[in-house]
């Protein structure tokens, strides 16, 4: 099946091209990217020398598209493609939030295609596999939400966790995109760690939306305190989630709960030692460690991922596989590059 | 005044030697270190070429000693020195915890000099300046406790913070010491972030001890959930502390509270943007940002430091200055090496 | 075909396991490693969770073996395997040098199986493909020699380069192995660059041996000044080779020469901008840039590789493919993990 | 004495401010920087919280100025200051090259004040101390030239080195300035090493100019092949220089030659093991190792420095000390921040 990447020159776009190098069913047939239009993909990214593709200003002939454009621009391009019958996985935020008002308040733009929000599916297959398999339009989750939701979902769903959750997340820098900024300059990041967006990060409404869908009847709405950090690495997210246990529980029960929840989920491994971001370097895995901190009665729920893998391009291909009826892990079962 | 460093070959010992290069009152007169005894200090550490000192197996003629030995060994050496009338700043854990039982349970050893615990002072000058100035024996605080306590102290002291605190701390690797281990090998740390000691870290009792001293009558005992992390950097600690506000408050009130608390404390700056560990690279500063997360009602209290500076050697010299009647910041008012 | 890894717990051994995860013909059937014998491979390396293999103290039933043991130990194990009819790719230095005396002087040990040196083939397929395809015993090249030889070979072979070559090579740290040492400790490597082994590195005789085979009649013997460096990264080697041009030449001629030499070599790309080590992160590629520095008349010949890829495990699988009659790039055509 | 920094918002400008924090004679009285004019220095750089200075659009009342502006802009500002009787240390390239034509060809601009080239002094005090002490205008050397010249000078001067030198230099990223670019983005630099400017770097004419002044009568003009590299670190330069010995020599003779040459030079240490860039982290030191590679007859001459220290701001203050009759090392005798 022919696929295209819209916005191939960003981090997520280029990572999609890397994954597609060895996908047995998807053939990367066209790529677009305005800033580098007219150049060969292999000239812009010499490590992708295997491709003989020219970056086009616009594309539209493939059967399925991945869009790695910024929000709003993405919906403007994806909307018409879906209407023409194409399948689309949109890696921007445009089709993640089902409530238009929340989207418009969070991103401070008018949604170009609010009429499509209803049919779009939030593409976190571990929670929404059947819906993903039925849709033509997936809003691919944000990097932080993927980790945070997968860390919290089993405990919220089972009703053992308080809805008041603290999420302290640490991210590598590639999540901030490929455009140079002072904040992502080497000399500012190296040997440095700090929080940012403490007053509210755009990914927070996704986390609330998805966890609220899971909470048992009677549980109060999810209330997050989400503090993201930049740590000096290129790839990787570690989300640590803290929430009081609201039922009597034990480490053994929590382990069992998590293992059961993620049984038959090929990309989530439940582990019993603190997971390391590098275990996922370059692939689509998530490692989750649920920890019951007995003295305080808190649950400490950790998840790691590659922010460009399960946090972006890997998950996009996982969604595309499901949308096309392929095995979920087709072309994705690669080892992490460790160390 | 002649000073000596016991255990100069570790990270804290060598950092003490660096700080002492330019101290106007302390003259580094002798250094010890069993593993490298007999060698020139400048041969072991070529960047300390200015010193013409031989590493001795044992020392004892100076007037004041810094001990950077491991716990237990440190008390065994420091005890007799204090009894001989010397001043001692012990960077190990041996004289930090005033309760012998807590110490022995935490470190799983018998304390060599329990009779001295009563006179030893926990050397966090921002909280205990008068006591430090009167003692001959200081237990220099751990790196994590220094950051966590300074982040939390004003809020706990004022009674606006719940005693149930979550501390999510991120540390560079030099805090783990200079001895090579698999966990501190470059290839394991680089491009990697993970938690460790989730079941309980040895620094936790110090945090509890000092915060409990500050809590207002009527507040329940401090109850910590402390999760330390290794991030890929050599120096720096960021401690993020989360606790519900238990009184009505506002960002302005919290700012005022913190500024007032740290007025006249030369090594603590209260800031209103997320502090960065690199702001303290190589010096004795702490930057604290108190944040009131209005929607959730949580206080998010952050502090950064250089774990070898305010978290170890810098603070040890600050304590020694006070013990000798010198200005607190003598020899310590250096800029951070940034970027 | 069933294959085994002898010494799976080192960096090269674990990297072999990662590559074999997705090899369509080789099935990893057994692994050995004395230090961790008895443990599950997936417990030692959680990122290799896909394997259900126990690390054995000794193995021997597969058809082909990769040995990632240290020198001498490796030949002791590999010798008998070859005699039993097994195919072996030895990643140690034991079967790289055809001259026993050079080996014994360089490695300061007695060779356990000197009688096998004659039949062993130096496994650099770009130069020795037919011999590799015929042998049962390959000495897999060292990481530095692979980069340096591929950078220099076309120019030496064509007689345009002086045999007096300077090789200034920069390496990531994983080449130094997985055992913790002071030299590979994070705090020593990070924010640091330095040369080492300036008086002579063990990889130098390999470089001389292979280039001497290529030099035209009449050219003096190869004479190297090889200075390796550690730079603060986990993976990657950049070898810069400097040598005076000894014939009239031009950039165009040098480019043509290199492109022609590496035509039909799937793992070598000739480029015309300075190649970056990260272009090869996690795969088996080499990028070579030949540069004619007109003013001085020097050739500046650069090559980059992943020291664990083409410099170790990737090349080992390339050799194994050839030994078994498979396409050279089977299971190896993966993209680099960039950025 | 009151001093000013023109262009305080770049890396060199900010580093000057850091050094000046503890200089006993120079008082930083005014700072300029167009992009941040009107802001407090301590708001732009929170780690410089000790200063209460506003960044001005223009300054001119101090007695001595450091200019850290880009080339051409710098001479435009510095020229008039010198004419008004001020002392100036210009960290740009504008007053380094005494030959106007070479300057204009290298930097592709017209020199704003060619009439001042004659009186300007190339500020490498180890070679030009008396001239620096007499001038009001110093052209502060480039970062690469400082390391390369100090590595080569003794051997060139003594006539034991061929004038055909190869310089393979490795630099941290802060030398590229503080303005964000794709090339200095964290994700491009981290885990990556590559050469750049292989066809000719602007620092090369400085190296040639200064070494040509030193070469003995009869030696041919200096002929450099200079290849700079970016390595993933913030600070530090290692310059490795390769040149054939043209007289019979030995390691002992070379050592003696270098020790003698740098006797009484407080910022150059001659060492006999490969020097490490981190030995100079944050200070003004240079470590030089001269190595005679006996088998090939080559000299391998290495020098390390902090590119923002001896390679920029530290050396600027060293020059200013000399221009003002202060001890050369006033305010500069600080230890390196290691590890």
């Amino acid at each position: 099946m022919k696929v295209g990447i819209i916005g191939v020159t960003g981090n997520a776009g280029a990572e999609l091209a890397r994954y597609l190098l060895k996908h047995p069913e998807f053939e990367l047939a066209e790529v677009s990217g305005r800033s580098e239009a007219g150049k060969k993909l292999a000239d812009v990214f010499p490590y992708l020398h295997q491709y003989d593709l020219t970056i086009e200003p616009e594309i539209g002939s493939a059967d399925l598209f991945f869009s790695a454009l910024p929000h709003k621009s993405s919906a403007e391009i994806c909307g018409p493609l879906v209407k023409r019958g194409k399948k689309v996985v949109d890696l921007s935020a445009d089709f993640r939030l089902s409530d238009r008002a929340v989207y418009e308040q969070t991103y401070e733009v008018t949604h170009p295609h609010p009429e499509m929000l209803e049919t779009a599916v939030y593409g976190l297959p571990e929670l929404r596999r059947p819906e993903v398999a039925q849709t033509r339009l997936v809003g691919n989750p944000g990097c932080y939400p993927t980790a945070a939701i997968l860390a919290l979902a089993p405990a919220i769903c089972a009703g053992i966790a308080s809805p008041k959750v603290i999420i302290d997340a640490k991210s590598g820098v590639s999540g901030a995109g490929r455009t140079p900024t002072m904040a992502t300059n080497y000399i500012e990041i190296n040997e440095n760690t700090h929080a940012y967006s403490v007053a509210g990060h755009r990914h927070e409404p996704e986390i609330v939306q998805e966890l609220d869908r899971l909470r048992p009847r009677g549980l109060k709405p999810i209330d997050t305190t989400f503090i993201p950090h930049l740590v000096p690495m290129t790839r990787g997210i570690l989300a640590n989630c803290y929430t009081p246990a609201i039922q009597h529980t034990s480490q053994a029960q929590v382990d069992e709960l998590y293992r059961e929840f993620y049984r038959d989920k090929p990309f989530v491994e439940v582990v019993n030692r603190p997971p390391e971001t590098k275990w996922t370097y370059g692939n689509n895995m998530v490692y989750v460690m649920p920890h019951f901190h007995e003295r305080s009665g808190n649950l400490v729920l950790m998840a790691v991922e590659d922010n460009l893998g399960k946090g972006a391009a890997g998950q996009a291909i996982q969604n595309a596989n499901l949308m096309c009826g392929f095995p979920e892990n087709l072309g994705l079962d690669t080892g992490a590059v460790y160390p």
Side-chain angles (χ1 to χ4, degrees), chain A residues 171 173 180-195 229-233:
Chain A
S171 176
V173 185
T181 65
M182 185 68 84
T184 59
N185 225 6
Y186 184 83
I187 61 175
E188 301 289 320
I189 292 292
N190 186 40
E191 280 289 296
N192 205 1
T193 290
H194 61 86
H229 297 74
L230 279 183
V231 295
M233 54 190 200

Side-chain angles (χ1 to χ4, degrees), chain A residues 240-279:
Chain A
N240 282 35
C241 308
Y242 301 90
T243 176
I246 54 175
Q247 289 182 14
H248 177 83
T249 190
S250 68
Q251 185 64 47
Q253 284 176 330
V254 172
D255 283 341
E256 173 59 20
L257 168 69
Y258 271 68
R259 288 188 198 284
E260 188 55 37
F261 194 93
Y262 289 119
R263 194 179 308 284
D264 301 324
K265 304 295 187 301
F267 295 114
V268 182
E269 279 279 303
V270 179
V271 294
N272 58 12
R273 56 167 148 157
E276 311 189 8
T277 59
K278 198 151 60 168
W279 295 354

Side-chain angles (χ1 to χ4, degrees), chain A residues 49 59-60 64 76 78 84 102 110 117 125 128 135 144 174-175 184 189 203 220 231 258 260-261 266 274 298 313 323:
Chain A
H49 68 273
I59 56 176
L64 181 150
E76 285 166 356
C78 293
R84 283 172 46 209
V102 173
T110 303
L117 290 175
R128 303 247 206 159
T135 190
Y144 285 122
S174 58
T184 59
I189 292 292
H203 281 176
K220 286 193 186 165
V231 295
Y258 271 68
E260 188 55 37
F261 194 93
N298 284 326
M323 292 162 83

Side-chain angles (χ1 to χ4, degrees), chain A residues 17-33:
Chain A
R18 181 179 76 84
Y19 274 106
L20 291 171
L21 270 177
K22 40 187 200 293
H23 195 284
E25 293 287 346
F26 293 138
E27 177 203 348
L28 183 56
E30 49 180 11
V31 297
S32 72

